[in-house]
Amino acid sequence: MLLVWVLCTLIVCVYCQYEWQRRDAFDEVRMKLDRVDANNCPIVQHGDLFLPPDSVSHLPDVKDVNINPVFPNRTALLHLHNMAMSRAFFFSYILQARFIRPAINDTYDPGMMYYFLSTVADVSSNPHINASAIYFSPNMSYSPSYRGFFNKTFPKFAPRTFRADDFNDPIHLERISTRNTFTVGDLGAVSRDTQSNDYTSDFYRINKWYKAWLPDNVVGRHDTKTTYQVEIRYANNTNETFTFHGPPGADEVPGPVKWTQPYFDCGRSNKWLVSAVAPVADIYPRHTGFRHIEFPTYAAVTVLEMDFDRIDINQCPISNGNNGPNLFADTARCKQETTECEPIHGWGFRRGGYQCRCRPGFRLPTVVRRPFLGEIVERATSEQYYNGFDCLKIGWILKIPIKWEKASAYIREKYLDRYYEYRNFSTGPESLHNRQMNIDEVLKFIHGPDDLTLLGDISFGAEEQFVNEAKMAVRLANFLSAFLQITDPKEVFSGKRLTDRPISEDQMFGETLALVMGDSKIWSAGTYWERNKFTNRTLFAPYAYKKELNTRKFFLEDVARLNSTEELYLNKPWFQFLKQRWAANFDSLEKFYLKMKIRSNETGEHTKKYEHYPNSYRAANIDHGHWTSPYFDCNGKVKKWLITYAAPFFGWDSIRVKLEFKGVVAVTMNLLQLDINQCPDKYYVSNAFKDTHKCDRRTSYCVPILGRGFEIGGYKCECLQGYEYPFEDLITYYDGQLVESEFSNVVAEKPTRFDMFKCRLAGASSLESSFYAICSLIIALWILQR
């Protein structure tokens, strides 16, 4: 009886701890997530398999990527978006590439294994992507994987890969989930009598990704599909201009990618997923010989998926710069009278992914160092909540002066002594080698460059800010590693099935081009093969690039035609570095396991295990690649300050006994799109611009601001604990761009207010006189008069 009483007491206490919190949208979604599982999902109502569309907010939009910064909590979603777009561009290109070489009676479509391993590489290259698939419309997928199958189609074809939980897998004796095991199957290989397994049918229940673009029921003309132009230059210096149809452009409505509402992946991965969907264009009917009767249409969709519970939610209210729709808006517990909500990243689908900052005109209590963390607020008891987490009102609020004067000689000398690099400084390349860097002179030099290479610490932060672009290179390197290790052109299967042919020149052109078309921050990309490693070619290196942003015209060439010593890609430092690094030892490469099931025959009534089951291959992850120092591409195609990331790929030797280095995939980004960080950091952090901010160090500290690019002032000066922002303003900090501008006025002896950009010691919260202080003063004066 005593035990029951104690348990009841504990339950009541825990309940009472959170009774002050009202029920909101988060609780509703949480209940809906918990209500559906793998056992009951086939029989629950259709609406219970989906969450509201606005349960994922601030979805990346290709129209906005190069205008506004993408915050860290949407970086994974942006990569999902770019991957869907890249794969759609590639398959649109390669399915229409038969018009480049139409002379022979054959099909140039990729084989079945190409499709399977392409989806595998999408998932293996990024731990945030959990599934990838290509869904074809009925009778619109051609394949060279069966004898006598020319100009015939699969009834349905849908290769899909999703990440499996290999905790209890017998191939992992450690019983540790590696996230490197993938279940691969053809969802089009189903019986025609089972409509619930037909992804084109309404009975499939979760196929909103299919219905986003398919079937392509166009009213009127079909030739309105967006076209893209590629100028191709081959190794023998012959040229060709190829125009193909693809997904809608970034300037069209809708854009190239559509997002689905979160759904329960019933009967497949049995998880709540969010997917990005892009269409694949092809030209029909095929092989007629009469181009005037052929028309472009959407033949398939590429679908990239990630877990819903790994996407950060935004609990802050709708406001300027924090637009909706957002299901979870205004569910934060910040006290709106004195604080305002600011989202922070890395929390996923759980409460507390925000902080409560003081509103303008208020300051933190002197015993509080940083804004109130949302997780602490959410876990507080009612007594803690109602008696704390408030900011104090600031008294003696000042007005920012409209007119200001030159700094006095004393003030100017004080700041020039503090920032002595502005008194005696070097210009041009010499500015990079001063002990204390004059950031203004360095940026002047970089924005007006000569042919040279910068120090590596100039590009600090590139590994984090260009991580999506690096993952695109890793994805192609993973695909090439998988294809070269798993497929064998000499293998013979029973029945009519044929093995995949070696990778073709057009496929490599298309894959390289898709890197540039799928990610707007990639200005050029290349796939560089080691000598004699590509079929029937001594050297082969397709290189794609663009000359301007938001374009529909791209350029492709085989840089193997440049065979002088200075231009030969085999002699590039990054190629030599990776070749030497992976010359012999491959033990540290990631090992990926595939459980692959393919269709049993051409019609695909059911699936069967692939002849090698399970299968595996080794490939590089993002840490195995190489980042170059920044350089100006004076003699290249993209004349900008660039930084390159290169990832290696591997295959079997000629007798398929051991791995060997096959080549490198490299992507190049514009250095001036990088945000520089002027705030202090650890002594061992190699950042050339570290600690070059102009915040008053006694009263404030530096916080980086995203989206300012390669310019000074990408930070804000927040007040330290015990200090307050003294001005009547809509913000509670000093903007770095304003601080830098006023400091340059000090150096140039122009009118400035730089000396005013300080936080003041936190004082009384109002101007009202204290009754006790006045009484004490009167008594003291009365005593003195006696």
Side-chain angles (χ1 to χ4, degrees):
M1 189 66 183
L2 179 62
L3 179 60
V4 174
W5 182 82
V6 171
L7 290 176
C8 292
T9 304
L10 291 175
I11 292 172
V12 171
C13 290
V14 172
Y15 173 75
C16 292
Q17 182 180 356
Y18 300 101
E19 66 179 357
W20 61 273
Q21 298 182 356
R22 65 184 184 276
R23 184 166 175 160
D24 54 25
F26 181 90
D27 300 304
E28 299 294 337
V29 172
R30 181 75 267 173
M31 291 177 61
K32 198 164 187 176
L33 294 178
D34 297 336
R35 191 180 302 135
V36 183
D37 56 32
N39 297 321
N40 64 8
C41 72
I43 59 174
V44 300
Q45 293 184 5
H46 182 255
D48 291 338
L49 295 176
F50 296 89
L51 298 179
D54 57 350
S55 54
V56 179
S57 63
H58 303 83
L59 290 167
D61 187 352
V62 68
K63 299 177 177 61
D64 195 49
V65 168
N66 293 310
I67 300 174
N68 295 319
V70 176
F71 293 101
N73 62 358
R74 288 299 179 264
T75 301
L77 278 176
L78 177 61
H79 183 61
L80 196 77
H81 172 281
N82 292 343
M83 282 294 300
M85 190 163 56
S86 173
R87 303 322 301 146
F89 277 121
F90 166 73
F91 286 111
S92 298
Y93 175 90
I94 200 63
L95 292 179
Q96 298 169 59
R98 63 185 182 276
F99 296 112
I100 299 178
R101 315 178 196 280
I104 62 175
N105 188 23
D106 202 350
T107 177
Y108 292 97
D109 292 270
M112 282 197 304
M113 194 59 62
Y114 195 105
Y115 284 103
F116 285 127
L117 297 181
S118 177
T119 61
V120 169
D122 297 341
V123 182
S124 66
S125 61
N126 188 351
H128 291 94
I129 296 179
N130 276 341
S132 174
I134 308 161
Y135 298 91
F136 277 89
S137 287
N139 294 307
M140 298 193 80
S141 54
Y142 295 81
S143 177
S145 295
Y146 289 92
R147 293 188 182 90
F149 208 67
F150 173 73
N151 210 20
K152 293 182 180 180
T153 59
F154 290 143
K156 294 179 183 65
F157 184 49
R160 182 176 189 260
T161 297
F162 66 87
R163 196 183 306 274
D165 185 3
D166 55 1
F167 178 78
N168 287 318
D169 203 304
I171 59 178
H172 297 300
L173 300 179
E174 302 90 346
R175 292 296 185 265
I176 299 175
S177 182
T178 65
R179 297 178 56 81
N180 285 350
T181 299
F182 311 112
T183 300
V184 189
D186 183 358
L187 300 184
V190 295
S191 173
R192 299 183 183 180
D193 301 328
T194 310
Q195 292 192 22
S196 61
N197 291 331
D198 180 1
Y199 60 82
T200 67
S201 169
D202 291 336
F203 295 98
Y204 200 73
R205 287 162 57 92
I206 59 170
N207 59 357
K208 288 192 175 182
W209 27 260
Y210 179 83
K211 297 176 182 178
W213 296 100
L214 300 175
D216 186 20
N217 297 321
V218 178
V219 178
R221 296 169 61 93
H222 273 266
D223 58 357
T224 56
K225 295 292 185 290
T226 307
T227 58
Y228 299 87
Q229 187 181 89
V230 186
E231 293 186 7
I232 307 175
R233 190 170 188 178
Y234 298 100
N236 59 2
N237 284 320
T238 59
N239 300 326
E240 181 173 10
T241 299
F242 177 52
T243 302
F244 70 99
H245 300 272
D251 56 333
E252 297 183 71
V253 178
V257 176
K258 291 182 180 180
W259 295 91
T260 65
Q261 60 192 101
Y263 58 93
F264 189 79
D265 196 33
C266 184
R268 308 195 302 181
S269 61
N270 293 315
K271 295 181 177 181
W272 285 95
L273 302 177
V274 176
S275 60
V277 189
V280 176
D282 199 358
I283 296 180
Y284 286 89
R286 283 196 174 194
H287 307 294
T288 63
F290 303 99
R291 292 297 302 272
H292 65 283
I293 66 172
E294 299 172 350
F295 62 90
T297 185
Y298 292 145
V301 290
T302 60
V303 181
L304 278 294
E305 300 159 300
M306 69 179 295
D307 286 351
F308 170 73
D309 58 8
R310 300 193 68 174
I311 302 174
D312 288 358
I313 61 174
N314 187 345
Q315 295 184 250
C316 297
I318 301 296
S319 60
N320 292 332
N322 186 27
N323 301 323
N326 180 10
L327 181 65
F328 305 104
D330 206 16
T331 60
R333 311 295 186 188
C334 295
K335 293 187 175 181
Q336 298 185 6
E337 298 80 11
T338 62
T339 63
E340 56 188 8
C341 177
E342 180 182 77
I344 54 180
H345 69 278
W347 292 80
F349 182 74
R350 59 191 179 106
R351 290 188 184 274
Y354 60 89
Q355 62 182 9
C356 301
R357 301 175 47 83
C358 292
R359 297 177 66 88
F362 294 85
R363 63 170 175 82
L364 288 170
T366 55
V367 296
V368 179
R369 185 180 180 191
R370 293 290 186 266
F372 304 111
L373 187 62
E375 184 182 30
I376 305 300
V377 177
E378 297 277 355
R379 294 184 178 184
T381 63
S382 59
E383 181 181 0
Q384 291 173 331
Y385 179 75
Y386 291 116
N387 295 323
F389 307 113
D390 278 304
C391 290
L392 305 179
K393 188 171 182 58
I394 297 175
W396 287 92
I397 296 180
L398 306 177
K399 290 283 189 179
I400 299 179
I402 299 175
K403 183 179 180 180
W404 56 93
E405 300 176 350
K406 290 183 180 180
S408 63
Y410 163 74
I411 295 295
R412 184 173 184 274
E413 290 300 317
K414 180 180 74 170
Y415 287 116
L416 289 181
D417 285 342
R418 180 179 301 174
Y419 303 101
Y420 59 86
E421 65 273 16
Y422 285 85
R423 189 187 296 276
N424 296 312
F425 55 85
S426 303
T427 59
E430 299 301 324
S431 62
L432 295 167
H433 305 288
N434 293 334
R435 191 179 70 172
Q436 184 68 23
M437 181 176 290
N438 184 325
I439 188 171
D440 292 274
E441 292 301 322
V442 170
L443 293 184
K444 286 178 184 177
F445 164 66
I446 290 177
H447 285 292
D450 295 322
D451 184 13
L452 48 84
T453 299
L454 298 177
L455 301 176
D457 56 358
I458 295 290
S459 60
F460 171 78
E463 293 85 346
E464 180 181 358
Q465 297 179 42
F466 292 144
V467 64
N468 283 351
E469 290 67 40
K471 287 177 181 176
M472 298 286 278
V474 173
R475 184 260 155 210
L476 180 52
N478 271 20
F479 166 73
L480 293 174
S481 297
F483 193 90
L484 295 174
Q485 295 174 45
I486 291 179
T487 64
D488 183 2
K490 299 179 182 179
E491 191 169 10
V492 177
F493 298 115
S494 60
K496 295 182 179 180
R497 189 157 62 88
L498 300 172
T499 185
D500 274 32
R501 300 171 183 173
I503 295 178
S504 69
E505 181 183 30
D506 289 331
Q507 289 168 353
M508 278 293 88
F509 275 138
E511 291 282 5
T512 308
L513 176 65
L515 295 177
V516 181
M517 299 185 74
D519 194 317
S520 60
K521 286 189 176 181
I522 297 178
W523 282 83
S524 67
T527 307
Y528 305 91
W529 289 75
E530 172 66 318
R531 190 184 302 271
N532 296 321
K533 299 305 179 185
F534 189 78
T535 306
N536 299 326
R537 296 286 291 273
T538 302
L539 298 175
F540 182 54
Y543 175 79
Y545 63 97
K546 60 187 177 186
K547 294 184 177 180
E548 58 184 9
L549 281 174
N550 305 320
T551 181
R552 295 184 186 175
K553 184 175 182 180
F554 300 87
F555 303 88
L556 262 173
E557 67 173 276
D558 184 357
V559 295
R561 67 184 183 84
L562 307 173
N563 54 12
S564 64
T565 304
E566 305 82 35
E567 298 175 316
L568 186 62
Y569 67 86
L570 296 177
N571 297 327
K572 297 293 183 182
W574 40 265
F575 191 95
Q576 288 291 326
F577 175 86
L578 289 174
K579 180 179 178 180
Q580 295 170 13
R581 164 65 181 85
W582 300 102
N585 190 349
F586 307 101
D587 292 342
S588 62
L589 292 176
E590 293 274 359
K591 190 171 185 180
F592 301 99
Y593 294 90
L594 312 181
K595 297 180 178 179
M596 191 180 306
K597 291 186 178 181
I598 62 173
R599 56 180 52 227
S600 58
N601 52 28
E602 301 95 317
T603 57
E605 296 295 331
H606 58 85
T607 60
K608 66 177 182 179
K609 291 182 178 179
Y610 182 59
E611 279 74 3
H612 308 282
Y613 184 96
N615 212 334
S616 65
Y617 70 95
R618 288 187 176 273
N621 60 33
I622 194 169
D623 296 328
H624 294 143
H626 174 64
W627 292 90
T628 68
S629 298
Y631 62 95
F632 191 83
D633 193 18
C634 189
N635 298 320
K637 302 296 183 180
V638 184
K639 291 179 171 52
K640 298 177 181 292
W641 280 106
L642 303 175
I643 181 170
T644 295
Y645 173 82
F649 57 91
F650 310 90
W652 296 114
D653 60 4
S654 58
I655 56 177
R656 301 183 68 84
V657 172
K658 64 183 183 67
L659 287 180
E660 64 180 8
F661 172 82
K662 293 289 187 179
V664 167
V665 177
V667 292
T668 301
M669 289 70 67
N670 184 1
L671 177 70
L672 301 188
Q673 290 183 295
L674 183 71
D675 288 339
I676 63 175
N677 188 344
Q678 294 181 247
C679 295
D681 212 330
K682 304 289 191 304
Y683 70 91
Y684 51 81
V685 174
S686 120
N687 175 10
F689 305 114
K690 178 174 60 180
D691 205 20
T692 59
H693 67 93
K694 305 302 185 299
C695 296
D696 183 66
R697 300 171 189 268
R698 186 174 60 87
T699 64
S700 61
Y701 63 96
C702 174
V703 179
I705 295 179
L706 296 177
R708 297 288 175 88
F710 214 77
E711 300 287 345
I712 59 174
Y715 60 88
K716 56 184 177 180
C717 303
E718 295 272 10
C719 294
L720 285 170
Q721 181 181 4
Y723 290 86
E724 63 188 19
Y725 184 78
F727 295 107
E728 183 180 20
D729 204 343
L730 296 178
I731 56 177
T732 59
Y733 57 84
Y734 298 106
D735 191 289
Q737 288 183 336
L738 182 60
V739 174
E740 294 282 352
S741 176
E742 294 298 332
F743 178 78
S744 65
N745 289 339
V746 173
V747 178
E749 296 189 78
K750 295 180 180 179
T752 182
R753 48 184 171 168
F754 179 75
D755 196 47
M756 301 182 63
F757 292 162
K758 302 175 183 177
C759 296
R760 72 181 180 196
L761 193 65
S765 59
S766 70
L767 297 176
E768 297 177 1
S769 301
S770 170
F771 174 75
Y772 298 103
I774 293 176
C775 290
S776 300
L777 181 60
I778 292 174
I779 294 172
L781 291 174
W782 180 72
I783 293 174
L784 289 174
Q785 287 177 356
R786 294 185 59 187

